[in-house]
Coordinates of all heavy atoms in Angstrom, one line a residue:
M288 N 11.8 1.5 27.4 CA 12.9 1.4 28.3 C 13.8 0.1 27.9 O 13.2 -0.9 27.5 CB 12.3 1.2 29.7 CG 13.3 0.9 30.8 SD 12.4 0.8 32.4 CE 13.8 0.9 33.5
A289 N 15.1 0.3 27.9 CA 16.0 -0.8 27.5 C 15.9 -1.9 28.5 O 15.8 -1.7 29.7 CB 17.4 -0.2 27.3
E290 N 16.1 -3.1 28.0 CA 16.1 -4.3 28.9 C 17.4 -4.4 29.6 O 18.4 -4.2 29.0 CB 15.9 -5.5 28.0 CG 15.9 -6.8 28.7 CD 15.8 -8.0 27.8 OE1 15.7 -7.8 26.6 OE2 15.9 -9.1 28.3
A291 N 17.4 -4.7 30.8 CA 18.6 -5.0 31.6 C 19.3 -6.2 31.0 O 18.7 -7.1 30.7 CB 18.2 -5.1 33.1
P292 N 20.6 -6.1 30.9 CA 21.3 -7.2 30.3 C 21.5 -8.4 31.1 O 21.8 -9.5 30.6 CB 22.7 -6.6 30.0 CG 22.9 -5.6 31.0 CD 21.5 -5.0 31.2
G293 N 21.2 -8.4 32.4 CA 21.3 -9.6 33.2 C 22.8 -9.8 33.5 O 23.7 -9.0 33.2
P294 N 23.1 -11.0 34.0 CA 24.5 -11.3 34.5 C 25.4 -11.7 33.3 O 26.6 -11.9 33.5 CB 24.2 -12.5 35.4 CG 23.0 -13.2 34.9 CD 22.2 -12.0 34.4
R295 N 24.9 -11.8 32.1 CA 25.6 -12.3 31.0 C 26.7 -11.4 30.4 O 27.8 -11.7 30.1 CB 24.7 -12.8 29.9 CG 23.8 -13.9 30.2 CD 23.0 -14.3 29.0 NE 22.2 -15.5 29.2 CZ 20.9 -15.4 29.5 NH1 20.2 -14.2 29.5 NH2 20.2 -16.5 29.7
L296 N 26.2 -10.1 30.2 CA 27.0 -9.2 29.4 C 27.1 -7.8 29.9 O 26.2 -7.5 30.7 CB 26.5 -9.1 28.0 CG 26.5 -10.4 27.1 CD1 25.7 -10.2 25.9 CD2 27.9 -10.7 26.8
R297 N 28.0 -7.0 29.4 CA 28.0 -5.6 29.7 C 26.8 -4.9 29.0 O 26.4 -5.4 28.0 CB 29.3 -5.0 29.3 CG 30.5 -5.6 30.1 CD 31.7 -4.8 29.7 NE 32.0 -4.8 28.3 CZ 32.9 -5.4 27.7 NH1 33.8 -6.1 28.3 NH2 33.1 -5.4 26.4
P298 N 26.4 -3.8 29.6 CA 25.1 -3.1 29.0 C 25.3 -2.8 27.5 O 24.3 -2.8 26.8 CB 25.0 -1.9 29.8 CG 25.7 -2.2 31.1 CD 26.8 -3.1 30.8
E299 N 26.5 -2.5 27.0 CA 26.7 -2.1 25.6 C 26.7 -3.3 24.7 O 26.8 -3.0 23.5 CB 28.0 -1.2 25.5 CG 29.3 -2.0 25.8 CD 29.7 -2.0 27.2 OE1 28.8 -1.7 28.1 OE2 30.8 -2.2 27.5
S300 N 26.7 -4.5 25.2 CA 26.7 -5.6 24.3 C 25.4 -5.9 23.6 O 24.4 -5.7 24.2 CB 27.1 -6.9 25.1 OG 28.3 -6.8 25.7
A301 N 25.4 -6.2 22.3 CA 24.2 -6.5 21.6 C 24.0 -8.0 21.5 O 25.0 -8.7 21.4 CB 24.3 -5.9 20.2
R302 N 22.7 -8.4 21.5 CA 22.4 -9.8 21.4 C 21.4 -10.0 20.4 O 20.6 -9.2 20.1 CB 21.8 -10.3 22.8 CG 22.7 -10.2 24.0 CD 24.1 -10.9 23.8 NE 24.0 -12.3 23.6 CZ 24.1 -13.3 24.5 NH1 24.4 -12.9 25.8 NH2 24.1 -14.5 24.2
G303 N 21.3 -11.2 19.8 CA 20.4 -11.6 18.8 C 19.1 -12.0 19.5 O 18.8 -11.8 20.7
P304 N 18.2 -12.6 18.7 CA 16.9 -13.0 19.2 C 17.1 -14.2 20.2 O 18.1 -14.9 20.2 CB 16.1 -13.5 18.0 CG 17.2 -13.8 17.0 CD 18.4 -12.9 17.3
R305 N 16.1 -14.3 21.1 CA 16.2 -15.3 22.1 C 15.6 -16.6 21.7 O 14.7 -16.6 20.8 CB 15.5 -14.8 23.4 CG 16.2 -13.6 24.0 CD 15.4 -13.1 25.1 NE 16.0 -11.9 25.7 CZ 16.2 -11.7 27.0 NH1 15.9 -12.6 27.8 NH2 16.9 -10.6 27.3
V306 N 16.0 -17.7 22.3 CA 15.3 -19.0 22.2 C 14.6 -19.2 23.5 O 15.0 -18.7 24.5 CB 16.2 -20.1 21.8 CG1 16.9 -19.8 20.5 CG2 17.3 -20.3 22.9
R307 N 13.6 -20.1 23.5 CA 12.9 -20.4 24.7 C 13.0 -21.9 24.9 O 12.8 -22.7 24.0 CB 11.4 -20.1 24.6 CG 11.2 -18.6 24.4 CD 9.8 -18.2 24.6 NE 9.7 -17.9 26.1 CZ 8.5 -17.9 26.7 NH1 7.4 -18.0 26.1 NH2 8.5 -17.6 28.0
L308 N 13.3 -22.3 26.1 CA 13.4 -23.7 26.6 C 12.6 -23.8 27.9 O 12.2 -22.8 28.4 CB 14.8 -24.2 26.7 CG 15.7 -23.4 27.6 CD1 16.4 -24.3 28.6 CD2 16.7 -22.6 26.7
T309 N 12.4 -25.0 28.3 CA 11.8 -25.2 29.6 C 12.7 -26.0 30.5 O 13.5 -26.8 30.0 CB 10.4 -25.8 29.6 OG1 10.6 -27.1 29.0 CG2 9.4 -25.0 28.8
C310 N 12.7 -25.7 31.8 CA 13.5 -26.5 32.8 C 12.4 -27.0 33.8 O 11.9 -26.1 34.5 CB 14.6 -25.7 33.4 SG 15.5 -26.7 34.6
D311 N 12.1 -28.2 33.9 CA 11.2 -28.7 34.8 C 9.8 -28.0 34.6 O 9.1 -27.8 35.5 CB 11.6 -28.7 36.3 CG 12.8 -29.5 36.6 OD1 13.0 -30.6 35.8 OD2 13.6 -29.2 37.5
G312 N 9.6 -27.7 33.3 CA 8.3 -27.1 33.0 C 8.2 -25.6 33.1 O 7.3 -24.9 32.7
V313 N 9.3 -25.0 33.6 CA 9.3 -23.5 33.8 C 10.1 -22.9 32.6 O 11.2 -23.3 32.2 CB 10.1 -23.1 35.1 CG1 10.2 -21.6 35.2 CG2 9.5 -23.8 36.3
P314 N 9.4 -21.9 31.9 CA 10.1 -21.3 30.8 C 11.4 -20.6 31.1 O 11.5 -19.9 32.2 CB 9.0 -20.3 30.3 CG 7.8 -20.7 30.9 CD 8.1 -21.4 32.2
V315 N 12.4 -20.7 30.2 CA 13.7 -20.1 30.4 C 14.0 -19.5 29.1 O 13.9 -20.1 28.0 CB 14.8 -21.0 30.9 CG1 16.2 -20.4 30.9 CG2 14.4 -21.6 32.3
E316 N 14.5 -18.3 29.0 CA 14.9 -17.6 27.8 C 16.4 -17.7 27.7 O 17.1 -17.4 28.8 CB 14.4 -16.2 27.6 CG 12.9 -16.1 27.4 CD 12.4 -14.7 27.0 OE1 13.1 -13.8 27.3 OE2 11.4 -14.7 26.4
A317 N 17.0 -17.9 26.6 CA 18.4 -17.9 26.4 C 18.8 -17.3 25.0 O 17.9 -17.1 24.2 CB 18.9 -19.3 26.5
H318 N 20.1 -17.2 24.8 CA 20.5 -16.7 23.5 C 21.2 -17.8 22.7 O 21.9 -18.6 23.4 CB 21.4 -15.5 23.6 CG 20.8 -14.3 24.2 ND1 20.0 -13.4 23.5 CD2 20.7 -13.8 25.5 CE1 19.5 -12.5 24.2 NE2 19.9 -12.7 25.5
P319 N 21.0 -18.0 21.4 CA 21.7 -18.9 20.7 C 23.3 -18.9 20.9 O 23.8 -17.8 21.0 CB 21.4 -18.6 19.2 CG 20.1 -17.8 19.3 CD 20.2 -17.1 20.6
G320 N 23.9 -20.0 21.1 CA 25.3 -20.1 21.4 C 25.6 -20.3 22.8 O 26.7 -20.7 23.2
E321 N 24.6 -20.1 23.7 CA 24.9 -20.3 25.1 C 24.7 -21.8 25.4 O 23.9 -22.5 24.7 CB 23.8 -19.6 26.0 CG 24.0 -18.1 26.0 CD 23.0 -17.3 26.9 OE1 21.8 -17.8 26.9 OE2 23.4 -16.4 27.5
T322 N 25.4 -22.3 26.4 CA 25.1 -23.6 26.9 C 23.9 -23.7 27.8 O 23.5 -22.7 28.4 CB 26.3 -24.2 27.6 OG1 26.5 -23.5 28.8 CG2 27.6 -24.2 26.8
V323 N 23.3 -24.9 27.9 CA 22.2 -25.0 28.8 C 22.6 -24.7 30.2 O 21.9 -24.0 30.9 CB 21.7 -26.5 28.7 CG1 20.7 -26.8 29.8 CG2 21.1 -26.8 27.3
A324 N 23.8 -25.1 30.6 CA 24.3 -24.8 32.0 C 24.3 -23.3 32.2 O 23.8 -22.8 33.3 CB 25.7 -25.3 32.2
M325 N 24.9 -22.5 31.3 CA 24.9 -21.0 31.5 C 23.6 -20.3 31.4 O 23.3 -19.3 32.0 CB 26.0 -20.4 30.6 CG 27.4 -20.9 31.0 SD 27.8 -20.3 32.7 CE 27.7 -21.9 33.6
A326 N 22.7 -20.9 30.5 CA 21.4 -20.3 30.4 C 20.6 -20.5 31.7 O 19.9 -19.6 32.2 CB 20.6 -21.0 29.3
L327 N 20.8 -21.7 32.3 CA 20.1 -22.0 33.6 C 20.8 -21.2 34.7 O 20.1 -20.7 35.7 CB 20.1 -23.5 33.9 CG 19.2 -24.3 32.9 CD1 19.4 -25.8 33.3 CD2 17.8 -23.9 32.8
W328 N 22.1 -21.0 34.7 CA 22.8 -20.2 35.7 C 22.2 -18.8 35.7 O 22.0 -18.2 36.7 CB 24.3 -20.3 35.4 CG 25.1 -19.6 36.5 CD1 25.3 -18.2 36.6 CD2 25.8 -20.2 37.5 NE1 26.1 -18.0 37.6 CE2 26.4 -19.2 38.3 CE3 26.0 -21.5 37.9 CZ2 27.2 -19.5 39.4 CZ3 26.7 -21.8 39.0 CH2 27.3 -20.8 39.7
A329 N 22.1 -18.2 34.4 CA 21.6 -16.9 34.3 C 20.2 -16.7 34.8 O 19.7 -15.7 35.2 CB 21.7 -16.4 32.9
A330 N 19.4 -17.8 34.8 CA 18.1 -17.8 35.2 C 18.0 -18.2 36.7 O 16.9 -18.5 37.2 CB 17.2 -18.8 34.4
D331 N 19.1 -18.2 37.4 CA 19.2 -18.6 38.9 C 18.8 -20.0 39.1 O 18.3 -20.3 40.2 CB 18.3 -17.6 39.7 CG 19.0 -16.3 39.9 OD1 20.3 -16.2 39.8 OD2 18.3 -15.3 40.1
R332 N 19.0 -20.9 38.2 CA 18.8 -22.3 38.4 C 20.1 -22.9 38.7 O 20.9 -23.2 37.8 CB 18.1 -23.0 37.3 CG 16.7 -22.6 37.0 CD 15.7 -23.0 38.1 NE 15.7 -24.4 38.2 CZ 14.7 -25.2 37.8 NH1 13.7 -24.7 37.2 NH2 14.7 -26.5 38.0
R333 N 20.5 -23.1 39.9 CA 21.9 -23.6 40.3 C 21.9 -25.1 40.5 O 22.9 -25.7 40.3 CB 22.5 -22.9 41.5 CG 22.6 -21.4 41.4 CD 23.5 -21.0 40.4 NE 24.0 -19.6 40.5 CZ 23.5 -18.6 39.9 NH1 22.4 -18.7 39.1 NH2 23.9 -17.3 40.1
T334 N 20.8 -25.7 41.0 CA 20.7 -27.1 41.2 C 20.2 -27.8 39.9 O 19.1 -27.6 39.5 CB 19.8 -27.4 42.4 OG1 20.4 -26.8 43.5 CG2 19.8 -29.0 42.6
L335 N 21.1 -28.6 39.3 CA 20.7 -29.3 38.1 C 20.4 -30.7 38.2 O 19.8 -31.4 37.5 CB 21.9 -29.1 37.1 CG 22.3 -27.7 36.8 CD1 23.4 -27.7 35.7 CD2 21.1 -26.9 36.3
R336 N 20.9 -31.3 39.4 CA 20.5 -32.7 39.7 C 20.7 -32.8 41.2 O 21.2 -31.9 41.9 CB 21.4 -33.7 38.9 CG 22.9 -33.7 39.4 CD 23.6 -34.8 38.6 NE 25.0 -35.0 39.1 CZ 25.3 -35.8 40.1 NH1 24.4 -36.6 40.8 NH2 26.5 -35.8 40.6
R337 N 20.3 -34.0 41.7 CA 20.5 -34.3 43.2 C 21.2 -35.7 43.3 O 20.9 -36.6 42.4 CB 19.2 -34.3 44.0 CG 18.7 -32.8 44.0 CD 17.6 -32.7 45.0 NE 17.3 -31.3 45.2 CZ 17.9 -30.5 46.1 NH1 18.7 -31.0 46.9 NH2 17.5 -29.2 46.1
S338 N 22.1 -35.8 44.2 CA 22.8 -37.1 44.4 C 21.8 -38.1 44.7 O 20.7 -37.9 45.4 CB 23.9 -37.0 45.4 OG 23.3 -36.7 46.7
T339 N 22.0 -39.4 44.3 CA 21.1 -40.5 44.4 C 21.0 -40.9 45.9 O 19.9 -41.3 46.3 CB 21.5 -41.7 43.5 OG1 22.8 -42.0 43.8 CG2 21.3 -41.3 42.1
R340 N 22.0 -40.9 46.6 CA 22.0 -41.4 48.0 C 21.5 -40.4 49.0 O 20.6 -40.7 49.8 CB 23.3 -41.9 48.4 CG 23.4 -42.8 49.6 CD 24.6 -43.6 49.7 NE 25.8 -42.8 49.8 CZ 26.4 -42.4 51.0 NH1 25.9 -42.8 52.1 NH2 27.4 -41.7 51.0
L341 N 21.9 -39.2 49.0 CA 21.6 -38.2 50.0 C 20.6 -37.1 49.4 O 20.1 -36.3 50.2 CB 22.8 -37.6 50.5 CG 23.8 -38.5 51.2 CD1 25.0 -37.8 51.7 CD2 23.1 -39.2 52.5
G342 N 20.5 -37.0 48.1 CA 19.6 -36.0 47.6 C 20.3 -34.7 47.6 O 19.6 -33.6 47.6
A343 N 21.6 -34.6 47.8 CA 22.3 -33.4 47.9 C 22.4 -32.6 46.5 O 22.5 -33.2 45.5 CB 23.8 -33.6 48.4
P344 N 22.3 -31.3 46.6 CA 22.2 -30.6 45.3 C 23.5 -30.6 44.5 O 24.6 -30.5 45.2 CB 21.8 -29.1 45.8 CG 22.3 -29.1 47.2 CD 22.1 -30.4 47.8
R345 N 23.5 -30.7 43.3 CA 24.6 -30.7 42.4 C 24.4 -29.8 41.3 O 23.2 -29.6 40.8 CB 24.9 -32.1 41.8 CG 25.2 -33.2 42.8 CD 26.6 -32.9 43.4 NE 27.0 -34.0 44.2 CZ 27.1 -33.9 45.6 NH1 26.8 -32.7 46.2 NH2 27.5 -34.9 46.3
G346 N 25.5 -29.1 40.8 CA 25.3 -28.2 39.7 C 26.6 -28.0 39.0 O 27.5 -28.9 39.1
V347 N 26.8 -26.9 38.3 CA 28.0 -26.7 37.5 C 29.2 -26.6 38.4 O 29.2 -25.9 39.4 CB 27.9 -25.3 36.7 CG1 29.1 -25.1 36.0 CG2 26.7 -25.4 35.7
F348 N 30.2 -27.5 38.0 CA 31.5 -27.5 38.8 C 32.6 -27.2 37.9 O 33.3 -26.2 38.0 CB 31.6 -28.8 39.5 CG 32.8 -28.9 40.4 CD1 32.9 -28.1 41.6 CD2 33.9 -29.7 40.1 CE1 34.0 -28.2 42.4 CE2 35.0 -29.8 40.9 CZ 35.0 -29.0 42.0
C349 N 32.9 -28.0 36.9 CA 34.1 -27.8 36.1 C 33.7 -26.9 34.8 O 34.6 -26.2 34.3 CB 34.7 -29.1 35.6 SG 33.6 -30.0 34.4
N350 N 32.5 -27.0 34.4 CA 32.0 -26.2 33.2 C 32.7 -26.6 32.0 O 32.9 -25.8 31.1 CB 31.9 -24.8 33.5 CG 31.0 -24.0 32.5 OD1 30.0 -24.6 32.1 ND2 31.3 -22.7 32.2
M351 N 33.2 -27.8 31.9 CA 34.0 -28.2 30.7 C 33.8 -29.7 30.3 O 34.6 -30.3 29.7 CB 35.5 -27.8 30.7 CG 36.2 -28.4 31.8 SD 37.9 -27.7 31.8 CE 38.7 -28.8 33.0
G352 N 32.8 -30.3 30.9 CA 32.5 -31.7 30.5 C 33.2 -32.8 31.2 O 33.2 -34.0 30.8
I353 N 33.9 -32.5 32.3 CA 34.7 -33.5 33.0 C 34.0 -34.2 34.1 O 34.1 -35.4 34.3 CB 36.0 -32.9 33.5 CG1 36.8 -32.2 32.4 CG2 36.9 -33.9 34.2 CD1 37.3 -33.2 31.3
C354 N 33.3 -33.4 34.9 CA 32.9 -33.9 36.3 C 31.5 -34.6 36.3 O 31.1 -35.3 37.2 CB 32.9 -32.8 37.3 SG 31.6 -31.6 37.0
F355 N 30.7 -34.3 35.3 CA 29.2 -34.8 35.2 C 28.4 -34.3 36.3 O 27.2 -34.8 36.5 CB 29.2 -36.4 35.2 CG 29.6 -37.0 33.9 CD1 31.0 -36.9 33.5 CD2 28.7 -37.5 33.1 CE1 31.3 -37.5 32.3 CE2 29.1 -38.1 31.9 CZ 30.4 -38.1 31.5
E356 N 28.8 -33.3 37.1 CA 27.9 -32.7 38.1 C 26.7 -32.0 37.5 O 25.7 -31.8 38.2 CB 28.7 -31.8 39.0 CG 29.8 -32.5 39.8 CD 29.2 -33.3 40.9 OE1 28.0 -33.3 41.2 OE2 30.0 -34.1 41.5
C357 N 26.8 -31.6 36.3 CA 25.7 -30.8 35.6 C 24.7 -31.7 34.9 O 24.0 -31.2 34.0 CB 26.3 -29.8 34.7 SG 27.1 -30.4 33.3
L358 N 24.7 -33.0 35.1 CA 23.9 -33.9 34.3 C 22.4 -33.6 34.4 O 21.9 -33.5 35.5 CB 24.2 -35.4 34.8 CG 23.8 -36.5 33.8 CD1 24.7 -36.4 32.5 CD2 23.9 -37.8 34.5
V359 N 21.8 -33.4 33.3 CA 20.3 -33.2 33.2 C 19.8 -34.1 32.2 O 20.5 -34.8 31.4 CB 20.0 -31.7 32.9 CG1 20.4 -30.8 34.0 CG2 20.7 -31.3 31.6
R360 N 18.5 -34.1 32.0 CA 17.8 -34.8 31.0 C 17.3 -33.8 29.9 O 16.6 -32.9 30.3 CB 16.7 -35.7 31.5 CG 16.2 -36.8 30.6 CD 15.3 -37.7 31.2 NE 16.0 -38.5 32.2 CZ 15.8 -38.5 33.6 NH1 14.9 -37.8 34.0 NH2 16.5 -39.2 34.4
I361 N 17.8 -33.9 28.7 CA 17.4 -33.0 27.7 C 16.6 -33.8 26.6 O 17.1 -34.7 26.0 CB 18.6 -32.2 27.0 CG1 19.3 -31.4 28.1 CG2 18.1 -31.4 25.9 CD1 20.6 -30.7 27.6
D362 N 15.3 -33.4 26.5 CA 14.5 -34.1 25.5 C 14.5 -35.6 25.7 O 14.6 -36.4 24.8 CB 14.8 -33.7 24.1 CG 14.5 -32.2 23.8 OD1 13.6 -31.7 24.5 OD2 15.2 -31.7 22.9
G363 N 14.6 -36.0 27.0 CA 14.6 -37.4 27.4 C 16.0 -38.1 27.5 O 16.0 -39.3 27.8
H364 N 17.1 -37.4 27.1 CA 18.4 -38.0 27.1 C 19.3 -37.4 28.2 O 19.4 -36.2 28.3 CB 19.1 -37.8 25.8 CG 18.2 -38.5 24.7 ND1 18.2 -39.8 24.4 CD2 17.4 -37.9 23.7 CE1 17.4 -40.0 23.4 NE2 16.9 -38.9 23.0
A365 N 20.0 -38.2 29.0 CA 20.9 -37.7 30.0 C 22.1 -37.0 29.3 O 22.7 -37.6 28.4 CB 21.4 -38.8 30.9
T366 N 22.3 -35.8 29.6 CA 23.3 -34.9 28.9 C 23.9 -34.0 29.9 O 23.3 -33.5 30.8 CB 22.5 -34.1 27.8 OG1 21.8 -35.0 27.0 CG2 23.5 -33.3 26.9
R367 N 25.2 -33.7 29.7 CA 26.0 -32.7 30.5 C 25.5 -31.3 30.0 O 25.7 -31.0 28.8 CB 27.4 -32.9 30.4 CG 27.9 -34.1 31.1 CD 29.3 -34.5 30.7 NE 29.3 -35.1 29.4 CZ 30.4 -35.6 28.8 NH1 31.6 -35.4 29.3 NH2 30.3 -36.1 27.6
A368 N 24.9 -30.6 30.9 CA 24.4 -29.2 30.6 C 25.4 -28.3 30.1 O 25.2 -27.4 29.2 CB 23.6 -28.6 31.7
C369 N 26.7 -28.5 30.5 CA 27.8 -27.5 30.2 C 28.3 -27.8 28.7 O 29.0 -27.0 28.2 CB 28.9 -27.6 31.1 SG 29.8 -29.1 31.2
L370 N 27.8 -28.9 28.1 CA 28.3 -29.2 26.7 C 27.1 -29.1 25.7 O 27.4 -29.2 24.5 CB 28.8 -30.6 26.7 CG 30.1 -30.9 27.6 CD1 30.5 -32.4 27.4 CD2 31.2 -30.0 27.2
A371 N 25.9 -28.8 26.2 CA 24.8 -28.8 25.3 C 24.4 -27.3 25.0 O 24.3 -26.5 25.9 CB 23.6 -29.5 25.9
E372 N 24.3 -27.0 23.7 CA 23.9 -25.7 23.3 C 22.4 -25.5 23.3 O 21.7 -26.5 22.9 CB 24.5 -25.4 21.9 CG 24.4 -24.0 21.5 CD 25.2 -23.7 20.2 OE1 26.2 -24.3 20.0 OE2 24.6 -22.9 19.4
V373 N 21.9 -24.4 23.7 CA 20.5 -24.2 23.8 C 19.9 -24.2 22.4 O 20.6 -23.8 21.4 CB 20.1 -22.9 24.5 CG1 20.5 -22.9 26.0 CG2 20.6 -21.7 23.8
R374 N 18.6 -24.6 22.3 CA 17.9 -24.5 21.1 C 16.4 -24.3 21.4 O 16.0 -24.7 22.5 CB 18.1 -25.6 20.1 CG 17.6 -26.9 20.5 CD 18.0 -28.0 19.5 NE 18.1 -29.3 20.2 CZ 17.1 -29.8 20.9 NH1 16.0 -29.3 20.9 NH2 17.4 -30.9 21.5
D375 N 15.7 -23.7 20.5 CA 14.3 -23.3 20.8 C 13.5 -24.6 21.0 O 13.6 -25.6 20.3 CB 13.8 -22.5 19.6 CG 12.6 -21.6 20.0 OD1 12.6 -21.1 21.2 OD2 11.6 -21.5 19.2
G376 N 12.6 -24.6 22.0 CA 11.7 -25.7 22.3 C 12.4 -26.8 23.1 O 11.7 -27.8 23.4
M377 N 13.6 -26.7 23.5 CA 14.3 -27.7 24.2 C 13.6 -27.9 25.6 O 13.1 -27.0 26.2 CB 15.8 -27.2 24.4 CG 16.7 -28.2 25.3 SD 18.3 -27.4 25.4 CE 19.1 -28.2 24.0
R378 N 13.5 -29.2 26.0 CA 12.9 -29.5 27.3 C 13.9 -30.1 28.2 O 14.5 -31.2 27.9 CB 11.8 -30.6 27.0 CG 10.9 -30.9 28.2 CD 9.7 -31.7 27.9 NE 10.0 -32.8 27.0 CZ 10.4 -34.0 27.4 NH1 10.5 -34.3 28.7 NH2 10.7 -35.0 26.6
V379 N 14.3 -29.4 29.2 CA 15.3 -29.8 30.2 C 14.6 -30.2 31.5 O 13.7 -29.5 32.0 CB 16.3 -28.6 30.5 CG1 17.4 -29.0 31.5 CG2 16.9 -28.1 29.2
E380 N 15.1 -31.4 32.0 CA 14.6 -31.8 33.3 C 15.8 -32.1 34.3 O 16.8 -32.7 33.9 CB 13.8 -33.1 33.2 CG 12.6 -33.0 32.3 CD 12.1 -34.4 31.9 OE1 12.6 -34.9 30.9 OE2 11.2 -34.8 32.5
T381 N 15.7 -31.6 35.5 CA 16.7 -31.9 36.5 C 16.5 -33.4 36.9 O 15.5 -34.0 36.8 CB 16.6 -31.0 37.7 OG1 15.3 -31.0 38.2 CG2 16.9 -29.6 37.2
I382 N 17.6 -33.9 37.5 CA 17.6 -35.4 37.8 C 17.8 -35.6 39.3 O 18.6 -34.9 39.9 CB 18.8 -36.0 37.0 CG1 18.6 -36.0 35.5 CG2 19.0 -37.5 37.5 CD1 19.7 -36.5 34.7
G383 N 17.1 -36.6 39.7 CA 17.3 -37.0 41.2 C 16.1 -36.8 42.0 O 15.1 -36.1 41.5
P384 N 16.1 -37.3 43.2 CA 14.9 -37.2 44.1 C 14.7 -35.8 44.5 O 15.6 -35.0 44.6 CB 15.3 -38.1 45.3 CG 16.8 -38.1 45.3 CD 17.2 -38.0 43.8
A385 N 13.4 -35.5 44.8 CA 13.1 -34.1 45.3 C 13.7 -34.0 46.7 O 13.8 -35.0 47.4 CB 11.6 -34.0 45.4
P386 N 14.1 -32.8 47.1 CA 14.7 -32.6 48.4 C 13.6 -32.8 49.5 O 12.5 -32.5 49.3 CB 15.2 -31.2 48.4 CG 14.4 -30.5 47.3 CD 14.1 -31.6 46.3
E387 N 14.1 -33.3 50.6 CA 13.2 -33.4 51.8 C 12.7 -32.0 52.2 O 13.4 -31.0 52.0 CB 14.0 -34.0 53.0 CG 14.5 -35.4 52.6 CD 13.7 -36.5 53.1 OE1 13.0 -36.3 54.0 OE2 13.8 -37.6 52.5
A388 N 11.6 -31.9 52.8 CA 11.1 -30.6 53.3 C 12.1 -30.0 54.3 O 12.5 -30.7 55.2 CB 9.7 -30.7 53.9
G389 N 12.5 -28.8 54.1 CA 13.4 -28.1 55.0 C 14.8 -28.4 54.7 O 15.7 -27.8 55.3
A390 N 15.1 -29.2 53.7 CA 16.5 -29.4 53.3 C 17.1 -28.4 52.4 O 16.4 -27.6 51.8 CB 16.6 -30.8 52.5
Ligands
FES70 S1 30.0 -29.0 35.0 FE1 31.4 -30.6 35.0 S2 30.7 -31.8 33.3 FE2 29.4 -30.1 33.3

């Protein structure tokens, strides 16, 4: 049975081999050439950081490196997810305090 293409492409589109990264320890598969932001978006990870004062969720906003709303930690370095290309073994961590229960 053919694999569903997911939200990235039309069914007739062909893709190369996948790479594997983790986000907060959870495995995520992506394709070479994708940005971390879009790989996480396709994996239904919309919250990439939380604001320092209120812990409000933040995620992709401009998707072109201007707003810094997509700031994550990649292999220990703060990086804009919309500008970073995925690679195999990459370790992504979201930034900010954990949300309060029920938030
Ligand atoms: S979404 Fe604005 S800098 Fe990445």
Side-chain angles (χ1 to χ4, degrees):
M288 181 175 191
E290 178 186 359
R295 295 179 174 106
L296 295 169
R297 295 187 305 249
E299 65 272 20
S300 299
R302 301 301 302 261
R305 294 173 183 230
V306 298
R307 300 193 86 197
L308 53 131
T309 61
C310 181
D311 294 334
V313 177
V315 174
E316 290 191 337
H318 295 278
E321 290 182 323
T322 63
V323 170
M325 288 302 101
L327 296 179
W328 185 279
D331 284 332
R332 294 292 301 254
R333 302 295 199 265
T334 299
L335 301 181
R336 69 176 186 90
R337 292 196 171 265
S338 65
T339 52
R340 196 161 58 92
L341 299 175
R345 297 288 187 252
V347 175
F348 184 67
C349 72
N350 200 28
M351 59 184 191
I353 304 296
C354 71
F355 284 72
E356 294 291 346
C357 67
L358 200 65
V359 293
R360 196 169 291 116
I361 297 177
D362 296 332
H364 302 282
T366 307
R367 288 166 283 179
C369 68
L370 297 182
E372 192 171 320
V373 297
R374 66 184 150 63
D375 205 36
M377 179 180 263
R378 187 171 46 88
V379 180
E380 299 166 277
T381 56
I382 295 176
E387 304 261 334

